[in-house]
Amino acid sequence: MEYVIEMLNIRKEFNGFVANDNITLQVKKGEIHALLGENGAGKSTLMNVLFGLYQPEQGEIRVKEKPVKISNPNIANDLGIGMVHQHFMLVDVFTVTENIILGKEITSAGRIDLKKAEREVREISERYGLAVDPKAKISDISVGMQQRVEILKTLYRGAEILIFDEPTAVLTPQEIKELIQIMKTLIKEGKSIILITHKLKEIMEVADRCTVIRKGQGIGTVNVSETNQNELASLMVGRQVVFKTEKIPSNPKEEVLKIENLVVKDSRGITAVNGLDLTVRAGEIVGIAGVDGNGQSEFIEAITGLRKSEHGSVKVRGKELLGLNPRKINESGVGHIPQDRHKHGLVLNYPIGENMVLQTYYKKPLSKNGILNFKEIYNKARKLISEFDVRTPSEFTLARALSGGNQQKAIIGREVDRNPDLLIAAQPTRGLDVGAIEFIHKRLIEQRDNGKAVLLVSFELDEIMNVSDRIAVIFEGRIVAVVDPKDTTEQELGLLMAGSSRKEAGESTHV
Amino acid sequence: MSKRLRNILVPIIAILLGIIVGTIIMVASGYDAVAAYTALWNGAFGNIYYTGEVVRQVTPYILAGLAVAFAFRVGLFNIGVEGQFMVGWLASVWVGLAFHLPKFIHLPLAILASIIAGALWAFIPGLLKARFRIHEVIVTIMMNYVALYVTNYIIQHVITNNADRTPSIPDSASLRSPWLASITDFSRLHWGIVLAIICCFIMWFLLEKTTRGFELRAVGFNQHAAHYAGMSVNKNIILSMVISGAFAGLAGAMEGLGTFGYVATKAAFTGVGFNGIAVALLGANTALGVFFAALLFGALEVGALNMPLAAGVPNELVDIIIALIVFFVASSYLIRWFIERISKKGVK
């Protein structure tokens, strides 16, 4: 049995905190090896050890059965290890080729030989079926394409072992399919892949074997063909995980949110929301299904006051929201879990405790006569932190230092605590592990059961199907269909999301 | 290593490095480094007159440093402190000359004039930034030149008839006090230092303890989140520039009502506003930090005057040594990086 990479009994500590404890990872040549673990389980630390960014306190790394010491990323590169980062490291204004050769420029007489470089890039691109245009500018190509450029970059540097760090987090379903195809091609061409992820579905689909780590400990390695999603999930979390969220049937009451003929332009001035109508009633969760870029972000930003609308009407309990600023909308009973928690949801350099009062700091008893009452603020923060199981060393820890799941729990705690009539959740589980997803879904349903209206926007069909009481499909800025999750299928939704009418969609799935 | 300890250690190392390199240069060019530094120290703290002068010099530096730091905490780079300082100086002297009032009205009025002038001068770039997203650095640089030439014009053609300086302000508008002068052997020390210390406290209290400060800092860290949370980003941007300019204008009154008692036309910038940038950086944009950083700058500036006299070090070399200390202080990022590397190695 030939291993290309062996990490044996790796231990890595940070100031007394054990991030990796006795983890063993063995990757065979020509396999896709998944590395599975919750957020903060130590996946990234382990990969950074392999990539030479951290030095392990204990353990041994072998590449092709030879013990090696990887003290910096250049050595990792020389050993044929390449990393496709989750956040791309590309220069926007450079072309694909310029990005790829960056740091490894081919020169003749001091000048970059761009022609030759382009030829080489094209060659590699064709060999692995990447279909990348070497002359395109990074800012002009899609996110999926940019990721391929990252892959090309590692291949250009002669990588034999590619590490993919959460590669599907930023991709559309179609792009995910293509990426999986590319990974399979890479394997055929003799490369080996380490896939860092917490998406079980993808592991089942592409990986050959899977190593699970939990809280810094190596749990074990399983053959994917001999396991299933449930087993992987419980290995990862350490307990049984319920995928199908339990919920009682909804009992919708009066209308809370009523949107009529909403028109919103995006930042480039192009109409993104184009005459959207939607109603959400008290005691129900309405899920907005759609492919990214069909106006979801602009739609949410418009009703929460972050973006101007052209015309239309958005009423919450009969009160018109359009034209109001975000503070007035907050005070009108709207809670908003924003899509981008780092951009909108949190002030990362504020303690997590102060983030808990981001919209309410000016109210009594949190402040009086313009003076903040930190005792009250932190009392409230402590209460929410324990109630919503936000794992943080203390309420004074900067929000920046928390893991994504805990940041999200903090935001949800804050929004739910304001007790809004309408809770808007935009991609609330993006990038989170199954444990956190389960928790968040439960909380959303709890809100519904308490008679609140919940509007859920998600690109994950599973989530939409699972949590919603009604599903509204958005396509090109309009709600094109409203369906009951009980009598639809993922396939039908997929077609509706692609712009087919309900009738066509029905015919092609049911016939 | 704790963050607090590092924040104290970094400037100290910077100062030591400046002294060491300064020593090397002096020794290499044949001067007595020990004598030079002794002269520097004595020039700042050797007798009560010098100390009075140091405190006098520190006063506008504190306020200019606060001005830069305040805007910086809200994410704005106010390069225009120099200009706001000049208009504040002019306004204080103008009010000082224009009225004849009892001191308890005249002095506060003149001080208020400097604050309003500085605030208005900073309001313009704040408004342009908030309304049209015009970068405050460019606007404030240009406003510095406008301030320089407009104040010169007003001094020559409005307040006086073609003179290069205004008459001195009457006693009723002056910050000077015979008592302060007498206890410091007739230095130009004035009451302004009390105002500067109060301003340090105001900045700390406003930013750290009030809801307004909560908003201002939130805007400084993350405008999008502040907007999402219902704070008015534009209002806070303008407000931060206005408060910053108010500090800068008050710094001008320190010169106009305290040190000089008049305002003269200038061929070039005074440098107080620009030193304020260095003071704010060295003080890590906190009120307490700014206070200590201003103390250092003031002491260096005043103490250096003694170096040519007492140690025979030429003026140019004194400037180089001062610049070196400032250089190492400003490049504290390098030192920070170095400490981090060393402490990392330590753990391993």
Side-chain angles (χ1 to χ4, degrees):
Chain A
M1 201 177 311
E2 193 199 345
Y3 290 117
V4 279
I5 293 271
E6 287 176 278
M7 300 182 79
L8 303 171
N9 310 318
I10 299 293
R11 181 184 175 87
K12 175 71 200 162
E13 283 178 36
F14 296 102
N15 299 325
F17 173 75
V18 185
N20 283 169
D21 184 12
N22 199 20
I23 296 182
T24 293
L25 173 73
Q26 292 172 304
V27 182
K28 289 185 204 164
K29 188 170 166 50
E31 75 167 345
I32 299 182
H33 193 111
L35 183 59
L36 176 67
E38 287 189 280
N39 293 314
K43 293 172 299 207
S44 302
T45 308
L46 188 68
M47 285 304 107
N48 284 336
V49 167
L50 180 59
F51 206 56
L53 291 166
Y54 297 146
Q55 298 307 309
E57 268 81 48
Q58 271 174 39
E60 189 182 26
I61 301 176
R62 292 188 203 163
V63 174
K64 293 183 187 145
E65 321 217 304
K66 268 188 230 108
V68 290
K69 190 166 159 22
I70 305 176
S71 51
N72 68 54
N74 290 334
I75 296 178
N77 276 330
D78 294 343
L79 288 168
I81 303 170
M83 177 97 114
V84 179
H85 294 275
Q86 185 179 4
H87 302 283
F88 306 146
M89 318 259 175
L90 297 170
V91 183
D92 261 10
V93 294
F94 276 12
T95 66
V96 168
T97 304
E98 286 167 335
N99 265 288
I100 289 170
I101 61 173
L102 201 61
K104 254 193 154 30
E105 298 87 351
I106 313 173
T107 53
S108 62
R111 292 180 36 138
I112 295 178
D113 191 346
L114 216 54
K115 284 253 163 59
K116 190 172 168 217
E118 265 167 22
R119 218 165 38 236
E120 286 180 19
V121 169
R122 195 181 301 276
E123 226 171 73
I124 303 172
S125 167
E126 274 164 16
R127 186 153 116 224
Y128 296 98
L130 294 173
V132 171
D133 173 9
K135 287 181 180 168
K137 237 189 209 169
I138 294 297
S139 53
D140 294 339
I141 61 178
S142 71
V143 173
M145 273 295 166
Q146 291 180 10
Q147 186 174 55
R148 294 186 194 184
V149 176
E150 285 282 357
I151 298 172
L152 261 175
K153 225 159 95 180
T154 63
L155 294 172
Y156 183 82
R157 283 162 173 69
E160 290 296 317
I161 305 120
L162 284 85
I163 306 169
F164 283 81
D165 185 5
E166 308 269 357
T168 58
V170 290
L171 301 183
T172 63
Q174 183 56 34
E175 285 173 331
I176 292 176
K177 262 187 211 144
E178 288 166 13
L179 175 67
I180 286 172
Q181 203 47 53
I182 289 168
M183 289 168 87
K184 287 182 173 157
T185 314
L186 286 168
I187 296 302
K188 246 182 250 150
E189 294 283 329
K191 309 285 182 192
S192 313
I193 291 177
I194 301 176
L195 172 66
I196 307 175
T197 186
H198 48 238
K199 290 194 182 165
L200 303 169
K201 223 171 155 181
E202 281 156 20
I203 294 179
M204 296 307 297
E205 206 172 329
V206 291
D208 300 305
R209 295 193 309 147
C210 175
T211 294
V212 185
I213 56 180
R214 185 201 311 154
K215 290 179 183 156
Q217 306 237 329
I219 299 298
T221 302
V222 292
N223 287 323
V224 171
S225 56
E226 294 161 15
T227 184
N228 56 49
Q229 286 197 40
N230 277 317
E231 192 194 352
L232 284 177
S234 48
L235 279 175
M236 166 166 80
V237 186
R239 60 181 164 83
Q240 280 297 318
V241 174
V242 193
F243 279 98
K244 190 80 190 156
T245 321
E246 296 290 327
K247 56 177 187 182
I248 53 170
S250 70
N251 180 17
K253 298 206 179 70
E254 73 283 5
E255 281 177 8
V256 172
L257 174 70
K258 189 170 179 60
I259 301 172
E260 283 172 316
N261 195 23
L262 182 68
V263 178
V264 188
K265 286 187 174 165
D266 67 12
S267 335
R268 295 164 301 170
I270 298 164
T271 304
V273 177
N274 192 5
L276 185 144
D277 296 293
L278 184 71
T279 309
V280 185
R281 287 167 296 176
E284 72 168 350
I285 300 178
V286 173
I288 305 280
V291 179
D292 191 6
N294 274 286
Q296 291 97 323
S297 310
E298 289 80 6
F299 162 57
I300 296 294
E301 284 171 10
I303 54 181
T304 51
L306 295 174
R307 181 182 288 277
K308 272 202 192 122
S309 318
E310 297 306 305
H311 63 83
S313 152
V314 176
K315 285 188 176 137
V316 167
R317 290 205 180 278
K319 185 179 174 185
E320 181 62 53
L321 295 189
L322 285 195
L324 297 184
N325 61 35
R327 160 115 348 134
K328 291 261 167 59
I329 292 175
N330 275 336
E331 290 175 344
S332 307
V334 178
H336 177 199
I337 299 160
Q339 177 175 340
D340 188 336
R341 55 181 166 267
H342 288 175
K343 187 176 172 194
H344 287 116
L346 297 166
V347 176
L348 290 173
N349 286 332
Y350 269 0
I352 190 66
E354 291 176 32
N355 271 293
M356 291 297 200
V357 299
L358 211 55
Q359 299 108 323
T360 48
Y361 61 92
Y362 60 93
K363 290 185 181 157
K364 279 183 188 175
L366 302 175
S367 67
K368 212 175 136 187
N369 302 325
I371 311 287
L372 295 168
N373 184 340
F374 283 102
K375 209 177 136 206
E376 290 289 341
I377 288 174
Y378 280 104
N379 274 342
K380 176 169 206 104
R382 265 190 298 276
K383 193 191 112 208
L384 289 176
I385 284 169
S386 71
E387 204 174 307
F388 286 83
D389 189 32
V390 181
R391 292 189 203 149
T392 168
S394 88
E395 59 273 28
F396 306 109
T397 307
L398 293 189
R400 177 179 296 292
L402 268 60
S403 72
N406 285 308
Q407 290 175 341
Q408 191 72 344
K409 283 190 210 166
I411 294 174
I412 286 172
R414 178 180 77 201
E415 297 306 311
V416 167
D417 181 65
R418 293 198 294 121
N419 199 21
D421 291 333
L422 169 69
L423 180 62
I424 299 168
Q427 299 237 65
T429 59
R430 189 186 202 177
L432 304 187
D433 55 66
V434 285
I437 291 175
E438 196 186 4
F439 178 91
I440 285 162
H441 286 171
K442 266 191 195 154
R443 291 295 178 157
L444 292 179
I445 290 164
E446 198 176 278
Q447 283 299 296
R448 175 199 81 162
D449 293 343
N450 290 338
K452 310 292 180 191
V454 179
L455 180 62
L456 169 72
V457 177
S458 176
F459 303 141
E460 306 275 344
L461 271 188
D462 285 348
E463 178 165 51
I464 293 277
M465 293 283 276
N466 231 327
V467 180
S468 317
D469 300 314
R470 283 195 298 145
I471 299 173
V473 181
I474 191 169
F475 177 70
E476 291 182 347
R478 233 185 241 129
I479 300 295
V480 291
V482 179
V483 296
D484 188 325
K486 283 194 285 295
D487 50 53
T488 186
T489 59
E490 286 206 13
Q491 244 173 322
E492 187 193 29
L493 279 179
L495 285 163
L496 287 169
M497 284 158 60
S500 311
S501 71
R502 178 98 213 245
K503 196 159 158 277
E504 291 164 12
E507 276 163 9
S508 55
T509 51
H510 293 301
V511 176
Chain B
M1 191 178 299
S2 81
K3 212 178 142 198
R4 180 167 295 232
L5 181 64
R6 193 174 300 166
N7 277 345
I8 297 168
L9 206 58
V10 167
I12 291 175
I13 293 177
I15 294 163
L16 285 178
L17 279 175
I19 290 173
I20 290 168
V21 177
T23 306
I24 295 169
I25 292 177
M26 276 191 281
V27 170
S29 39
Y31 295 98
D32 183 352
V34 177
Y37 285 123
T38 312
L40 178 69
W41 177 262
N42 286 338
F45 304 106
N47 68 39
I48 194 73
Y49 169 82
Y50 288 139
T51 309
E53 280 293 301
V54 167
V55 175
R56 177 202 52 82
Q57 186 68 54
V58 165
T59 306
Y61 282 168
I62 291 176
L63 289 164
L66 289 180
V68 176
F70 194 90
F72 210 85
R73 291 287 287 276
V74 191
L76 298 167
F77 203 1
N78 183 4
I79 309 276
V81 171
E82 180 74 31
Q84 294 140 23
F85 167 81
M86 284 189 286
V87 298
W89 184 343
L90 176 75
S92 68
V93 172
W94 205 348
V95 170
L97 292 171
F99 300 99
H100 294 284
L101 295 161
K103 184 155 191 162
F104 75 96
I105 301 174
H106 200 182
L107 178 58
L109 195 68
I111 290 171
L112 196 65
S114 71
I115 291 174
I116 292 171
L120 279 177
W121 211 253
F123 170 76
I124 297 167
L127 183 73
L128 291 175
K129 170 88 177 186
R131 263 290 155 76
F132 305 109
R133 298 281 157 223
I134 301 174
H135 205 287
E136 74 279 6
V137 166
I138 293 165
V139 180
T140 51
I141 288 175
M142 293 305 147
M143 296 282 288
N144 283 344
Y145 286 98
V146 177
L148 176 63
Y149 296 113
V150 166
T151 53
N152 280 351
Y153 177 86
I154 291 175
I155 293 162
Q156 283 182 320
H157 301 291
V158 181
I159 301 181
T160 72
N161 195 2
N162 255 332
D164 282 339
R165 56 159 280 196
T166 66
S168 290
I169 52 165
D171 220 22
S172 61
S174 175
L175 279 165
R176 294 267 195 99
S177 106
W179 178 69
L180 281 178
S182 71
I183 61 162
T184 56
D185 202 8
F186 301 98
S187 78
R188 290 174 291 172
L189 181 63
H190 55 83
W191 285 115
I193 185 68
V194 179
L195 289 177
I197 290 169
I198 292 172
C199 283
C200 285
F201 178 79
I202 290 176
M203 159 147 162
W204 168 80
F205 188 82
L206 183 62
L207 279 181
E208 306 294 337
K209 297 289 166 194
T210 68
T211 52
R212 176 59 59 194
F214 190 76
E215 290 191 14
L216 288 165
R217 285 184 295 129
V219 170
F221 283 136
N222 183 349
Q223 291 194 1
H224 300 288
H227 184 49
Y228 155 86
M231 304 166 185
S232 167
V233 173
N234 286 345
K235 201 168 112 189
N236 282 301
I237 283 176
I238 295 174
L239 184 71
S240 77
M241 280 305 280
V242 166
I243 294 174
S244 170
F247 284 137
L250 184 59
M254 298 301 106
E255 308 292 59
L257 306 177
T259 307
F260 297 100
Y262 61 84
V263 54
T265 58
K266 294 170 196 69
F269 293 126
T270 63
V272 172
F274 299 123
N275 280 340
I277 296 171
V279 167
L281 283 179
L282 177 60
N285 297 310
T286 64
L288 193 66
V290 163
F291 177 82
F292 284 113
L295 203 61
L296 174 74
F297 272 72
L300 283 177
E301 191 126 314
V302 173
L305 297 174
N306 194 38
M307 285 167 81
L309 299 169
V313 182
N315 272 321
E316 290 80 359
L317 203 51
V318 172
D319 284 343
I320 289 175
I321 291 159
I322 301 286
L324 275 172
I325 294 177
V326 176
F327 169 82
F328 280 109
V329 162
S331 56
S332 63
Y333 173 78
L334 259 177
I335 298 168
R336 213 168 275 267
W337 177 79
F338 201 69
I339 291 179
E340 249 153 52
R341 275 204 66 140
I342 290 174
S343 54
K344 238 187 218 161
K345 285 249 167 75
V347 169
K348 196 175 141 197

